[in-house]
Amino acid sequence: MMEHDTHDSSQDELEQMQDIPNFDPGEEPTTQEKDDSSAKDPAQLKREQEMSDSVEESVRYWQKSDNISRSLSTTRHTLEEVVGLGDSFDIVFREMTFGGKKTGLFFVNGFAQADVMVEIIKRLTYLTPEDLSTGALRSFLEMYIPHIQVDKTEKLSDAINKALTGNSVLFLEGEQTALVMDTRQYPVRSPEEPSLERVVRGSRDGFTETLVTNITLVRRRLRDPGLKFEMMGVGRRTRTDVCIAFIDDIVDKTLVDSIREKIMAVNIDGIPLADKQLEEAIIHRGWNPYPLVRYSERPDVVASHLLEGRAVVFVDTSPSVMILPTTFFDLCQHAEENRQTPFMGTYLRWVRFFGVFASLFLLPLWLLIVVHPEFKPASLAFIGPEKQAEIPLIAQFLLVEFGVDLMRMAAVHTPTPLASAMGLIAAILIGDIAVQTGLFVNEVVLYMAVAAIGMFATPSYELGLANRVVRLGLLLVVAIFGGPGFVIGTTAFIVLLTLRRSNNSSYLWPFIPFNAKAMAAVLLRVPVMTSKQRPSYNKPRDDTRMPGKK
């Protein structure tokens, strides 16, 4: 039996070597070729010449067809060349005989649930040839595999892709169909409250890096049968799981179709950085600093947006999801406002809006009235430095801006026990001494601190960073051109936001185009029973929150 297998393997290898360009078994090799052949065998030459872009192409390259071979030895040889069976320690192909039928169990060691697989194998060891009299494949699938999620596949590339996602694949000698069993178990952490979206009152669970867990957290809050989750893979090498979520009878189908087409059209090696790389691939925003999607790590926030008619994109290995479409004003809202009474929610929203406004315009306005005192009202005569520092004002602002950025980055990389010490160094040793030595003006440090607090109070981290870039630009045009520079810079900023489109929707809605009712809902935290309709911005198919009420 072993001699027969060796002969078949040698014959298969000869056929594969004949596929090598310019390979002629009858041609006498040259001296150089003899030297090369002594160093590399023909199979190695074929490995080096492989230029496959996908698993399917690689399978076809090695066995001329993507169909599963009836021979386990051929399948094993293809797996050795395509996925590194025998070279990678975590790739396993376990050959066993059940009921007189030779089988091969293919899986990735780190993804397999050992207890589940042991139970399956234990059950199969009791089989006899008489148990498989009706057909091995049918018997395994319908009667003898004690597992819930079992499927069939006839393509070897499909079997490999599913095994690399954590499934186990059972190949049967003499069969061109394999059985795929969902025995995967990913390394996971328990849901915790997101650090960027904390609330005083509310749920403390947040998304994790596991896609199935995230979907379950949303499904727990939305038990609507119309809630759909469409799965697809992105990346020729990573095959990252991407899921589009929407409520079928609410969402605009054109929006879902557009997102689906863009994701399926992504042709890239992979997205190891998950949602951020996928966003760049499907949004095509280029160098525009403003985010065109909203990120959230809270399942309750995602559920509320799904009820408004939005689409949500989950990406495996990411604890945040993308909500589409979004607007500038959406990015300024926070879950805490809806956890308070309408009055207090409105107050908190206005405070947050003030913080966003301060992070954008406070420093440019102060610099303008200091450089051009004629613009300063009499009631604000106290504003401005009593004496000039050694460094020009614009240089002070730029140095402080870069200093705050540097401190923010240092805080990310500083261990938690040392973070307070770093804050003392930045606040006392640097800020206070810089003012006392006359290098900086007190008010520069004060207003910069207020602007930084406004940036950190912005719910969207991406929006806060984009506002910082705009603030730097406004500071520069005010320092160079004065009042006209501030007017032109602010106008250009508003025009920039007006021209932006988030999935073919206005970025500044409901301010541009103006919608009075929707703008009131932005400025005020409307009571739940008063908000009877979904935002028209999402173009929902069902725009009524309360049946029978318009």
Side-chain angles (χ1 to χ4, degrees):
M1 182 63 183
M2 292 298 294
E3 293 179 358
H4 179 68
D5 289 345
T6 304
H7 175 72
D8 289 345
S9 178
S10 301
Q11 184 66 28
D12 292 341
E13 200 169 282
L14 178 60
E15 293 177 357
Q16 293 162 359
M17 288 188 291
Q18 290 175 349
D19 294 337
I20 302 175
N22 302 325
F23 177 81
D24 185 358
E27 183 179 349
E28 182 67 24
T30 63
T31 304
Q32 180 65 34
E33 289 172 341
K34 288 180 179 179
D35 294 339
D36 292 342
S37 65
S38 63
K40 299 180 180 179
D41 57 61
Q44 181 63 26
L45 290 175
K46 185 171 182 179
R47 294 187 190 102
E48 294 179 355
Q49 292 178 1
E50 182 179 0
M51 300 293 291
S52 302
D53 286 333
S54 65
V55 174
E56 181 180 357
E57 290 182 14
S58 183
V59 170
R60 291 182 182 277
Y61 179 82
W62 285 103
Q63 67 173 28
K64 298 182 180 179
S65 170
D66 193 20
N67 295 326
I68 294 174
S69 173
R70 296 183 184 272
S71 171
L72 279 182
S73 60
T74 301
T75 301
R76 182 179 63 251
H77 176 74
T78 305
L79 293 176
E80 289 173 353
E81 301 297 344
V82 175
V83 296
L85 176 64
D87 295 329
S88 298
F89 76 93
D90 61 334
I91 304 295
V92 182
F93 188 76
R94 179 79 162 86
E95 296 186 53
M96 295 168 284
T97 301
F98 301 117
K101 191 71 173 179
K102 190 176 181 181
T103 66
L105 185 60
F106 174 52
F107 60 94
V108 178
N109 193 17
F111 290 149
Q113 293 189 60
D115 52 347
V116 174
M117 297 188 68
V118 167
E119 288 298 322
I120 294 175
I121 294 174
K122 185 187 299 184
R123 175 67 181 87
L124 296 180
T125 55
Y126 297 141
L127 297 181
T128 63
E130 291 76 15
D131 294 328
L132 305 180
S133 58
T134 59
L137 180 68
R138 180 180 177 184
S139 299
F140 278 122
L141 177 63
E142 297 181 359
M143 292 182 284
Y144 298 124
I145 293 182
H147 193 59
I148 298 174
Q149 299 185 40
V150 183
D151 200 0
K152 298 186 297 183
T153 182
E154 298 178 352
K155 301 295 183 182
L156 184 55
S157 62
D158 183 51
I160 292 174
N161 284 327
K162 289 183 177 180
L164 293 177
T165 63
N167 294 284
S168 300
V169 183
L170 185 66
F171 297 97
L172 306 177
E173 182 77 25
E175 300 284 351
Q176 287 189 290
T177 302
L179 300 179
V180 180
M181 300 173 291
D182 190 356
T183 59
R184 55 190 161 183
Q185 182 179 27
Y186 296 138
V188 297
R189 63 179 176 89
S190 59
E192 301 172 352
E193 184 177 14
S195 58
L196 292 179
E197 296 180 273
R198 294 182 181 274
V199 294
V200 177
R201 296 193 180 277
S203 62
R204 296 290 187 266
D205 56 346
F207 292 133
T208 68
E209 289 75 17
T210 306
L211 181 64
V212 176
T213 301
N214 296 342
I215 290 175
T216 305
L217 289 173
V218 175
R219 178 74 77 175
R220 180 183 180 187
R221 289 167 168 82
L222 280 179
R223 301 173 184 179
D224 190 334
L227 179 59
K228 308 294 184 184
F229 294 96
E230 292 187 6
M231 189 76 73
M232 58 193 73
V234 175
R236 289 182 286 112
R237 295 185 181 274
T238 61
R239 300 300 301 168
T240 305
D241 289 328
V242 176
C243 177
I244 306 175
F246 56 90
I247 299 180
D248 188 62
D249 55 339
I250 296 178
V251 73
D252 178 20
K253 289 299 184 68
T254 303
L255 170 66
V256 176
D257 293 340
S258 174
I259 296 173
R260 184 189 301 114
E261 292 173 2
K262 290 178 180 178
I263 293 177
M264 295 181 66
V266 174
N267 184 16
I268 191 173
D269 276 353
I271 50 173
L273 300 183
D275 48 4
K276 202 61 186 175
Q277 287 182 319
L278 181 64
E279 178 200 347
E280 292 187 18
I282 66 176
I283 299 300
H284 306 295
R285 77 177 181 211
W287 292 97
N288 189 324
Y290 276 87
L292 298 181
V293 301
R294 178 177 180 178
Y295 286 96
S296 179
E297 299 181 33
R298 296 188 61 90
D300 52 355
V301 171
V302 170
S304 64
H305 280 86
L306 286 170
L307 286 172
E308 288 182 353
R310 317 259 177 138
V312 176
V313 178
F314 296 81
V315 182
D316 193 26
T317 73
S318 174
S320 58
V321 303
M322 292 187 289
I323 302 173
L324 299 108
T326 192
T327 68
F328 180 88
F329 297 102
D330 280 338
L331 299 171
C332 296
Q333 297 182 13
H334 191 269
E336 178 65 23
E337 299 158 6
N338 296 295
R339 293 287 182 178
Q340 305 297 330
T341 62
F343 181 86
M344 292 308 303
T346 300
Y347 169 75
L348 294 176
R349 184 171 295 183
W350 274 88
V351 171
R352 203 177 304 277
F353 282 149
F354 172 78
V356 174
F357 181 86
S359 68
L360 275 169
F361 299 112
L362 181 62
L363 297 186
L365 283 173
W366 183 86
L367 180 62
L368 178 63
I369 63 176
V370 169
V371 175
H372 298 278
E374 63 274 13
F375 294 146
K376 182 166 53 175
S379 58
L380 300 179
F382 60 92
I383 292 180
E386 297 180 358
K387 60 180 180 179
Q388 295 296 327
E390 300 293 336
I391 301 177
L393 285 177
I394 183 61
Q396 294 181 44
F397 277 120
L398 294 179
L399 288 174
V400 174
E401 287 275 8
F402 295 141
V404 170
D405 273 334
L406 187 62
M407 186 173 63
R408 177 179 55 83
M409 289 186 287
V412 173
H413 305 297
T414 302
T416 303
L418 303 179
S420 58
M422 188 200 69
L424 290 174
I425 293 174
I428 299 177
L429 298 184
I430 297 179
D432 187 55
I433 293 178
V435 172
Q436 291 182 9
T437 55
L439 296 177
F440 284 82
V441 176
N442 279 324
E443 290 188 52
V444 170
V445 178
L446 171 64
Y447 293 127
M448 184 64 231
V450 175
I453 293 174
M455 187 195 76
F456 293 133
T458 305
S460 170
Y461 181 68
E462 292 79 13
L463 179 63
L465 292 179
N467 287 344
R468 160 160 285 187
V469 173
V470 172
R471 181 174 71 236
L472 282 173
L474 290 177
L475 283 171
L476 290 175
V477 296
V478 167
I480 298 173
F481 302 107
F486 179 80
V487 174
I488 295 175
T490 303
T491 304
F493 165 65
I494 296 175
V495 171
L496 171 70
L497 296 184
T498 304
L499 295 178
R500 295 309 297 167
R501 309 285 292 178
S502 176
N503 282 86
N504 202 31
S505 300
S506 174
Y507 194 58
L508 282 184
W509 185 90
F511 182 63
I512 300 176
F514 186 73
N515 184 318
K517 187 175 181 180
M519 194 66 196
V522 168
L523 297 177
L524 306 173
R525 208 288 264 173
V526 182
V528 172
M529 300 307 294
T530 304
S531 181
K532 300 177 181 179
Q533 291 185 312
R534 310 182 203 277
S536 60
Y537 168 80
N538 303 320
K539 305 179 182 66
R541 300 171 63 198
D542 179 6
D543 62 351
T544 305
R545 295 179 186 269
M546 304 176 189
K549 297 181 180 181
K550 296 289 185 180

